[in-house]
PDB file of all heavy atoms in Angstrom:
ATOM      1  N   GLY A  24    -144.649  62.943  87.586  1.00 97.00           N
ATOM      2  CA  GLY A  24    -144.542  63.842  88.727  1.00 97.00           C
ATOM      3  C   GLY A  24    -145.328  63.318  89.923  1.00 97.00           C
ATOM      4  O   GLY A  24    -145.601  62.117  90.030  1.00 97.00           O
ATOM      5  N   ILE A  25    -145.715  64.236  90.775  1.00 98.00           N
ATOM      6  CA  ILE A  25    -146.408  63.876  92.011  1.00 98.00           C
ATOM      7  C   ILE A  25    -147.782  64.526  92.042  1.00 98.00           C
ATOM      8  O   ILE A  25    -147.908  65.755  91.931  1.00 98.00           O
ATOM      9  CB  ILE A  25    -145.601  64.332  93.250  1.00 98.00           C
ATOM     10  CG1 ILE A  25    -144.235  63.656  93.265  1.00 98.00           C
ATOM     11  CG2 ILE A  25    -146.369  64.023  94.534  1.00 98.00           C
ATOM     12  CD1 ILE A  25    -143.291  64.216  94.331  1.00 98.00           C
ATOM     13  N   ALA A  26    -148.812  63.695  92.182  1.00 98.00           N
ATOM     14  CA  ALA A  26    -150.171  64.191  92.425  1.00 98.00           C
ATOM     15  C   ALA A  26    -150.386  64.148  93.931  1.00 98.00           C
ATOM     16  O   ALA A  26    -150.033  63.160  94.584  1.00 98.00           O
ATOM     17  CB  ALA A  26    -151.202  63.321  91.711  1.00 98.00           C
ATOM     18  N   TYR A  27    -150.944  65.210  94.476  1.00 98.00           N
ATOM     19  CA  TYR A  27    -151.144  65.233  95.923  1.00 98.00           C
ATOM     20  C   TYR A  27    -152.372  66.058  96.277  1.00 98.00           C
ATOM     21  O   TYR A  27    -152.823  66.901  95.501  1.00 98.00           O
ATOM     22  CB  TYR A  27    -149.902  65.791  96.630  1.00 98.00           C
ATOM     23  CG  TYR A  27    -149.581  67.236  96.319  1.00 98.00           C
ATOM     24  CD1 TYR A  27    -149.875  68.257  97.209  1.00 98.00           C
ATOM     25  CD2 TYR A  27    -148.950  67.578  95.116  1.00 98.00           C
ATOM     26  CE1 TYR A  27    -149.571  69.581  96.930  1.00 98.00           C
ATOM     27  CE2 TYR A  27    -148.646  68.898  94.822  1.00 98.00           C
ATOM     28  CZ  TYR A  27    -148.960  69.891  95.730  1.00 98.00           C
ATOM     29  OH  TYR A  27    -148.664  71.211  95.443  1.00 98.00           O
ATOM     30  N   ASN A  28    -152.916  65.773  97.445  1.00 98.00           N
ATOM     31  CA  ASN A  28    -154.121  66.457  97.921  1.00 98.00           C
ATOM     32  C   ASN A  28    -153.786  67.223  99.197  1.00 98.00           C
ATOM     33  O   ASN A  28    -153.733  66.638 100.287  1.00 98.00           O
ATOM     34  CB  ASN A  28    -155.222  65.441  98.187  1.00 98.00           C
ATOM     35  CG  ASN A  28    -156.558  66.094  98.471  1.00 98.00           C
ATOM     36  OD1 ASN A  28    -156.617  67.204  98.990  1.00 98.00           O
ATOM     37  ND2 ASN A  28    -157.643  65.402  98.165  1.00 98.00           N
ATOM     38  N   PRO A  29    -153.537  68.537  99.076  1.00 96.00           N
ATOM     39  CA  PRO A  29    -153.143  69.330 100.253  1.00 96.00           C
ATOM     40  C   PRO A  29    -154.145  69.257 101.402  1.00 96.00           C
ATOM     41  O   PRO A  29    -153.758  69.364 102.574  1.00 96.00           O
ATOM     42  CB  PRO A  29    -153.061  70.758  99.693  1.00 96.00           C
ATOM     43  CG  PRO A  29    -152.855  70.578  98.225  1.00 96.00           C
ATOM     44  CD  PRO A  29    -153.614  69.358  97.865  1.00 96.00           C
ATOM     45  N   SER A  30    -155.431  69.057 101.090  1.00 95.00           N
ATOM     46  CA  SER A  30    -156.455  69.026 102.144  1.00 95.00           C
ATOM     47  C   SER A  30    -156.316  67.803 103.043  1.00 95.00           C
ATOM     48  O   SER A  30    -156.871  67.774 104.150  1.00 95.00           O
ATOM     49  CB  SER A  30    -157.854  69.053 101.523  1.00 95.00           C
ATOM     50  OG  SER A  30    -158.132  67.854 100.828  1.00 95.00           O
ATOM     51  N   LEU A  31    -155.561  66.805 102.585  1.00 96.00           N
ATOM     52  CA  LEU A  31    -155.367  65.590 103.378  1.00 96.00           C
ATOM     53  C   LEU A  31    -153.970  65.514 103.982  1.00 96.00           C
ATOM     54  O   LEU A  31    -153.612  64.516 104.612  1.00 96.00           O
ATOM     55  CB  LEU A  31    -155.598  64.345 102.504  1.00 96.00           C
ATOM     56  CG  LEU A  31    -156.972  64.217 101.816  1.00 96.00           C
ATOM     57  CD1 LEU A  31    -157.008  62.957 100.948  1.00 96.00           C
ATOM     58  CD2 LEU A  31    -158.083  64.186 102.858  1.00 96.00           C
ATOM     59  N   LEU A  32    -153.188  66.565 103.793  1.00 96.00           N
ATOM     60  CA  LEU A  32    -151.809  66.577 104.262  1.00 96.00           C
ATOM     61  C   LEU A  32    -151.582  67.709 105.263  1.00 96.00           C
ATOM     62  O   LEU A  32    -152.422  68.606 105.412  1.00 96.00           O
ATOM     63  CB  LEU A  32    -150.858  66.729 103.072  1.00 96.00           C
ATOM     64  CG  LEU A  32    -150.926  65.601 102.029  1.00 96.00           C
ATOM     65  CD1 LEU A  32    -150.160  65.987 100.777  1.00 96.00           C
ATOM     66  CD2 LEU A  32    -150.380  64.310 102.616  1.00 96.00           C
ATOM     67  N   ASP A  33    -150.444  67.659 105.913  1.00 88.00           N
ATOM     68  CA  ASP A  33    -150.122  68.660 106.934  1.00 88.00           C
ATOM     69  C   ASP A  33    -149.194  69.737 106.381  1.00 88.00           C
ATOM     70  O   ASP A  33    -148.145  70.033 106.944  1.00 88.00           O
ATOM     71  CB  ASP A  33    -149.470  67.977 108.154  1.00 88.00           C
ATOM     72  CG  ASP A  33    -150.401  66.971 108.809  1.00 88.00           C
ATOM     73  OD1 ASP A  33    -151.614  67.249 108.862  1.00 88.00           O
ATOM     74  OD2 ASP A  33    -149.907  65.914 109.238  1.00 88.00           O
ATOM     75  N   GLY A  34    -149.583  70.289 105.239  1.00 85.00           N
ATOM     76  CA  GLY A  34    -148.811  71.393 104.672  1.00 85.00           C
ATOM     77  C   GLY A  34    -147.595  70.981 103.866  1.00 85.00           C
ATOM     78  O   GLY A  34    -146.782  71.831 103.488  1.00 85.00           O
ATOM     79  N   GLN A  35    -147.443  69.688 103.579  1.00 88.00           N
ATOM     80  CA  GLN A  35    -146.294  69.258 102.778  1.00 88.00           C
ATOM     81  C   GLN A  35    -146.383  69.805 101.357  1.00 88.00           C
ATOM     82  O   GLN A  35    -147.461  69.916 100.796  1.00 88.00           O
ATOM     83  CB  GLN A  35    -146.212  67.727 102.708  1.00 88.00           C
ATOM     84  CG  GLN A  35    -145.933  67.050 104.026  1.00 88.00           C
ATOM     85  CD  GLN A  35    -147.227  66.586 104.680  1.00 88.00           C
ATOM     86  OE1 GLN A  35    -148.279  67.186 104.502  1.00 88.00           O
ATOM     87  NE2 GLN A  35    -147.143  65.519 105.466  1.00 88.00           N
ATOM     88  N   THR A  36    -145.243  70.153 100.823  1.00 89.00           N
ATOM     89  CA  THR A  36    -145.158  70.531  99.412  1.00 89.00           C
ATOM     90  C   THR A  36    -144.162  69.590  98.744  1.00 89.00           C
ATOM     91  O   THR A  36    -143.384  68.919  99.409  1.00 89.00           O
ATOM     92  CB  THR A  36    -144.695  71.989  99.250  1.00 89.00           C
ATOM     93  OG1 THR A  36    -143.421  72.150  99.897  1.00 89.00           O
ATOM     94  CG2 THR A  36    -145.709  72.953  99.864  1.00 89.00           C
ATOM     95  N   PHE A  37    -144.188  69.564  97.440  1.00 96.00           N
ATOM     96  CA  PHE A  37    -143.398  68.558  96.736  1.00 96.00           C
ATOM     97  C   PHE A  37    -142.538  69.171  95.636  1.00 96.00           C
ATOM     98  O   PHE A  37    -142.430  68.623  94.541  1.00 96.00           O
ATOM     99  CB  PHE A  37    -144.338  67.484  96.181  1.00 96.00           C
ATOM    100  CG  PHE A  37    -145.065  66.725  97.267  1.00 96.00           C
ATOM    101  CD1 PHE A  37    -146.300  67.174  97.729  1.00 96.00           C
ATOM    102  CD2 PHE A  37    -144.499  65.612  97.846  1.00 96.00           C
ATOM    103  CE1 PHE A  37    -146.968  66.497  98.744  1.00 96.00           C
ATOM    104  CE2 PHE A  37    -145.147  64.928  98.869  1.00 96.00           C
ATOM    105  CZ  PHE A  37    -146.387  65.371  99.321  1.00 96.00           C
ATOM    106  N   GLU A  38    -141.922  70.297  95.948  1.00 96.00           N
ATOM    107  CA  GLU A  38    -141.001  70.910  94.989  1.00 96.00           C
ATOM    108  C   GLU A  38    -139.781  70.027  94.748  1.00 96.00           C
ATOM    109  O   GLU A  38    -139.106  70.146  93.724  1.00 96.00           O
ATOM    110  CB  GLU A  38    -140.538  72.281  95.477  1.00 96.00           C
ATOM    111  CG  GLU A  38    -141.575  73.384  95.320  1.00 96.00           C
ATOM    112  CD  GLU A  38    -142.592  73.381  96.469  1.00 96.00           C
ATOM    113  OE1 GLU A  38    -142.385  72.604  97.441  1.00 96.00           O
ATOM    114  OE2 GLU A  38    -143.576  74.136  96.390  1.00 96.00           O
ATOM    115  N   SER A  39    -139.484  69.145  95.712  1.00 97.00           N
ATOM    116  CA  SER A  39    -138.331  68.251  95.597  1.00 97.00           C
ATOM    117  C   SER A  39    -138.787  66.802  95.754  1.00 97.00           C
ATOM    118  O   SER A  39    -139.730  66.506  96.493  1.00 97.00           O
ATOM    119  CB  SER A  39    -137.297  68.586  96.673  1.00 97.00           C
ATOM    120  OG  SER A  39    -136.287  67.592  96.720  1.00 97.00           O
ATOM    121  N   TRP A  40    -138.077  65.892  95.060  1.00 98.00           N
ATOM    122  CA  TRP A  40    -138.357  64.473  95.236  1.00 98.00           C
ATOM    123  C   TRP A  40    -138.109  64.035  96.677  1.00 98.00           C
ATOM    124  O   TRP A  40    -138.716  63.080  97.157  1.00 98.00           O
ATOM    125  CB  TRP A  40    -137.484  63.638  94.297  1.00 98.00           C
ATOM    126  CG  TRP A  40    -137.859  63.707  92.846  1.00 98.00           C
ATOM    127  CD1 TRP A  40    -137.125  64.226  91.830  1.00 98.00           C
ATOM    128  CD2 TRP A  40    -139.062  63.203  92.245  1.00 98.00           C
ATOM    129  NE1 TRP A  40    -137.788  64.099  90.628  1.00 98.00           N
ATOM    130  CE2 TRP A  40    -138.983  63.459  90.854  1.00 98.00           C
ATOM    131  CE3 TRP A  40    -140.201  62.558  92.741  1.00 98.00           C
ATOM    132  CZ2 TRP A  40    -139.988  63.119  89.961  1.00 98.00           C
ATOM    133  CZ3 TRP A  40    -141.207  62.202  91.844  1.00 98.00           C
ATOM    134  CH2 TRP A  40    -141.101  62.477  90.487  1.00 98.00           C
ATOM    135  N   GLU A  41    -137.221  64.739  97.355  1.00 97.00           N
ATOM    136  CA  GLU A  41    -136.893  64.389  98.738  1.00 97.00           C
ATOM    137  C   GLU A  41    -138.130  64.409  99.635  1.00 97.00           C
ATOM    138  O   GLU A  41    -138.170  63.735 100.663  1.00 97.00           O
ATOM    139  CB  GLU A  41    -135.845  65.359  99.294  1.00 97.00           C
ATOM    140  CG  GLU A  41    -134.484  65.289  98.632  1.00 97.00           C
ATOM    141  CD  GLU A  41    -133.725  64.008  98.960  1.00 97.00           C
ATOM    142  OE1 GLU A  41    -134.101  63.307  99.923  1.00 97.00           O
ATOM    143  OE2 GLU A  41    -132.759  63.705  98.227  1.00 97.00           O
ATOM    144  N   SER A  42    -139.148  65.164  99.238  1.00 97.00           N
ATOM    145  CA  SER A  42    -140.362  65.267 100.050  1.00 97.00           C
ATOM    146  C   SER A  42    -141.016  63.906 100.267  1.00 97.00           C
ATOM    147  O   SER A  42    -141.692  63.692 101.286  1.00 97.00           O
ATOM    148  CB  SER A  42    -141.363  66.214  99.383  1.00 97.00           C
ATOM    149  OG  SER A  42    -140.802  67.491  99.182  1.00 97.00           O
ATOM    150  N   LEU A  43    -140.836  62.992  99.319  1.00 98.00           N
ATOM    151  CA  LEU A  43    -141.466  61.678  99.443  1.00 98.00           C
ATOM    152  C   LEU A  43    -140.886  60.858 100.587  1.00 98.00           C
ATOM    153  O   LEU A  43    -141.484  59.868 101.015  1.00 98.00           O
ATOM    154  CB  LEU A  43    -141.328  60.894  98.133  1.00 98.00           C
ATOM    155  CG  LEU A  43    -142.072  61.466  96.924  1.00 98.00           C
ATOM    156  CD1 LEU A  43    -141.788  60.625  95.681  1.00 98.00           C
ATOM    157  CD2 LEU A  43    -143.572  61.530  97.185  1.00 98.00           C
ATOM    158  N   TRP A  44    -139.729  61.271 101.082  1.00 97.00           N
ATOM    159  CA  TRP A  44    -139.096  60.571 102.210  1.00 97.00           C
ATOM    160  C   TRP A  44    -139.475  61.196 103.562  1.00 97.00           C
ATOM    161  O   TRP A  44    -139.052  60.705 104.606  1.00 97.00           O
ATOM    162  CB  TRP A  44    -137.577  60.575 102.057  1.00 97.00           C
ATOM    163  CG  TRP A  44    -137.042  59.520 101.137  1.00 97.00           C
ATOM    164  CD1 TRP A  44    -136.558  58.295 101.489  1.00 97.00           C
ATOM    165  CD2 TRP A  44    -136.917  59.587  99.713  1.00 97.00           C
ATOM    166  NE1 TRP A  44    -136.142  57.598 100.383  1.00 97.00           N
ATOM    167  CE2 TRP A  44    -136.344  58.362  99.274  1.00 97.00           C
ATOM    168  CE3 TRP A  44    -137.221  60.555  98.757  1.00 97.00           C
ATOM    169  CZ2 TRP A  44    -136.082  58.088  97.934  1.00 97.00           C
ATOM    170  CZ3 TRP A  44    -136.968  60.274  97.429  1.00 97.00           C
ATOM    171  CH2 TRP A  44    -136.405  59.054  97.020  1.00 97.00           C
ATOM    172  N   ASP A  45    -140.283  62.255 103.554  1.00 96.00           N
ATOM    173  CA  ASP A  45    -140.650  62.945 104.796  1.00 96.00           C
ATOM    174  C   ASP A  45    -141.372  61.987 105.743  1.00 96.00           C
ATOM    175  O   ASP A  45    -142.308  61.286 105.342  1.00 96.00           O
ATOM    176  CB  ASP A  45    -141.544  64.147 104.473  1.00 96.00           C
ATOM    177  CG  ASP A  45    -141.712  65.079 105.668  1.00 96.00           C
ATOM    178  OD1 ASP A  45    -142.284  64.641 106.676  1.00 96.00           O
ATOM    179  OD2 ASP A  45    -141.249  66.224 105.578  1.00 96.00           O
ATOM    180  N   ALA A  46    -140.975  61.959 106.990  1.00 95.00           N
ATOM    181  CA  ALA A  46    -141.543  61.027 107.977  1.00 95.00           C
ATOM    182  C   ALA A  46    -143.039  61.226 108.176  1.00 95.00           C
ATOM    183  O   ALA A  46    -143.739  60.292 108.600  1.00 95.00           O
ATOM    184  CB  ALA A  46    -140.799  61.168 109.306  1.00 95.00           C
ATOM    185  N   SER A  47    -143.547  62.415 107.876  1.00 95.00           N
ATOM    186  CA  SER A  47    -144.978  62.689 108.063  1.00 95.00           C
ATOM    187  C   SER A  47    -145.845  61.940 107.045  1.00 95.00           C
ATOM    188  O   SER A  47    -147.068  61.901 107.176  1.00 95.00           O
ATOM    189  CB  SER A  47    -145.247  64.189 107.952  1.00 95.00           C
ATOM    190  OG  SER A  47    -144.961  64.649 106.645  1.00 95.00           O
ATOM    191  N   LEU A  48    -145.206  61.354 106.029  1.00 96.00           N
ATOM    192  CA  LEU A  48    -145.963  60.666 104.976  1.00 96.00           C
ATOM    193  C   LEU A  48    -146.013  59.152 105.183  1.00 96.00           C
ATOM    194  O   LEU A  48    -146.276  58.404 104.244  1.00 96.00           O
ATOM    195  CB  LEU A  48    -145.355  60.980 103.608  1.00 96.00           C
ATOM    196  CG  LEU A  48    -145.401  62.443 103.159  1.00 96.00           C
ATOM    197  CD1 LEU A  48    -144.738  62.598 101.798  1.00 96.00           C
ATOM    198  CD2 LEU A  48    -146.827  62.956 103.113  1.00 96.00           C
ATOM    199  N   ARG A  49    -145.803  58.712 106.387  1.00 96.00           N
ATOM    200  CA  ARG A  49    -145.815  57.279 106.660  1.00 96.00           C
ATOM    201  C   ARG A  49    -147.119  56.642 106.160  1.00 96.00           C
ATOM    202  O   ARG A  49    -148.208  57.092 106.480  1.00 96.00           O
ATOM    203  CB  ARG A  49    -145.636  57.022 108.150  1.00 96.00           C
ATOM    204  CG  ARG A  49    -145.483  55.543 108.504  1.00 96.00           C
ATOM    205  CD  ARG A  49    -145.235  55.350 109.997  1.00 96.00           C
ATOM    206  NE  ARG A  49    -145.054  53.943 110.310  1.00 96.00           N
ATOM    207  CZ  ARG A  49    -143.901  53.278 110.222  1.00 96.00           C
ATOM    208  NH1 ARG A  49    -142.814  53.921 109.848  1.00 96.00           N
ATOM    209  NH2 ARG A  49    -143.831  51.992 110.518  1.00 96.00           N
ATOM    210  N   GLN A  50    -146.987  55.592 105.327  1.00 96.00           N
ATOM    211  CA  GLN A  50    -148.111  54.853 104.761  1.00 96.00           C
ATOM    212  C   GLN A  50    -149.073  55.735 103.936  1.00 96.00           C
ATOM    213  O   GLN A  50    -150.263  55.467 103.852  1.00 96.00           O
ATOM    214  CB  GLN A  50    -148.896  54.140 105.865  1.00 96.00           C
ATOM    215  CG  GLN A  50    -148.242  52.867 106.362  1.00 96.00           C
ATOM    216  CD  GLN A  50    -148.240  51.755 105.302  1.00 96.00           C
ATOM    217  OE1 GLN A  50    -149.290  51.270 104.897  1.00 96.00           O
ATOM    218  NE2 GLN A  50    -147.049  51.367 104.841  1.00 96.00           N
ATOM    219  N   LYS A  51    -148.499  56.752 103.279  1.00 96.00           N
ATOM    220  CA  LYS A  51    -149.336  57.649 102.478  1.00 96.00           C
ATOM    221  C   LYS A  51    -148.937  57.718 101.006  1.00 96.00           C
ATOM    222  O   LYS A  51    -149.711  58.203 100.184  1.00 96.00           O
ATOM    223  CB  LYS A  51    -149.311  59.064 103.060  1.00 96.00           C
ATOM    224  CG  LYS A  51    -150.008  59.198 104.409  1.00 96.00           C
ATOM    225  CD  LYS A  51    -150.048  60.647 104.858  1.00 96.00           C
ATOM    226  CE  LYS A  51    -150.814  60.781 106.182  1.00 96.00           C
ATOM    227  NZ  LYS A  51    -150.864  62.187 106.641  1.00 96.00           N
TER     228      LYS A  51
END
């Protein structure tokens, strides 16, 4: 699955794999 740190992100959630393609995650 996906491990993530909400405190370092801009409110992204990862209910879908598609979230990994979000432009806000550049180089993350």
Side-chain angles (χ1 to χ4, degrees):
I25 299 171
Y27 64 103
N28 189 331
S30 68
L31 302 178
L32 299 169
D33 298 323
Q35 294 96 330
T36 58
F37 296 90
E38 284 82 7
S39 170
W40 288 115
E41 294 290 344
S42 302
L43 294 177
W44 279 264
D45 193 296
S47 65
L48 296 179
R49 186 177 182 85
Q50 282 292 296
K51 291 185 177 180

